[in-house]
Amino acid sequence: QVQLVESGGGLVQAGGSLRLSCAASERTFSSYAMGWFRQAPGKEREFVAAINWNGDSTYYADSVKGRFTISRGNAKNTVYLQIDSLKPEDTAVYYCAVPWAAGSIGRLTSTGSYRYWGPGTQVTVSS
């Protein structure tokens, strides 16, 4: 079983930046695509970004394109989410996840496509 732990969340002012990290316990991490989701209070969990196994292909939700950057460091079993120009509407718990199966990352946009989840890290953006 893959264990995931997110970190890097916090309270920031609008316009600021954060870099979220997701550390995986599994040594075969480098063979997995990875995804980031977020869930705001009272809303459903929504897709944010995904990255393929070697980091050369990424996919983003339209709402975050240009501000969010997903990347990975396979040597460190870690995937990152750089968030720039933060907005109050970015306030949410952010989760990383491992999908059930390999495939086009453009299709890995639903929560049901993911098998393993981290506990999440809170991002709060003040206006």
Side-chain angles (χ1 to χ4, degrees):
Q1 182 172 350
V2 178
Q3 294 184 331
L4 304 171
V5 178
E6 302 92 340
S7 61
L11 173 63
V12 295
Q13 289 188 332
S17 297
L18 280 176
R19 189 193 196 199
L20 307 183
S21 299
C22 170
S25 63
E26 180 61 49
R27 287 181 296 175
T28 57
F29 166 82
S30 61
S31 64
Y32 304 141
M34 295 290 295
W36 281 97
F37 285 72
R38 66 184 179 183
Q39 187 166 18
K43 295 187 177 181
E44 293 186 352
R45 194 169 297 188
E46 66 173 357
F47 170 78
V48 172
I51 190 167
N52 73 333
W53 69 276
N54 68 355
D56 67 0
S57 182
T58 58
Y59 187 79
Y60 297 92
D62 288 342
S63 60
V64 305
K65 281 181 181 177
R67 296 191 301 119
F68 288 30
T69 305
I70 188 171
S71 61
R72 66 190 300 160
N74 284 344
K76 296 182 178 180
N77 285 0
T78 302
V79 64
Y80 305 97
L81 186 69
Q82 176 71 35
I83 309 175
D84 297 318
S85 302
L86 277 156
K87 304 176 181 180
E89 52 263 43
D90 294 321
T91 294
V93 178
Y94 284 71
Y95 301 90
C96 64
V98 175
W100 284 94
S104 170
I105 58 171
R107 295 184 178 181
L108 297 176
T109 59
S110 66
T111 56
S113 297
Y114 290 81
R115 180 177 186 180
Y116 298 112
W117 294 84
T121 185
Q122 176 71 48
V123 172
T124 303
V125 184
S126 62
S127 57

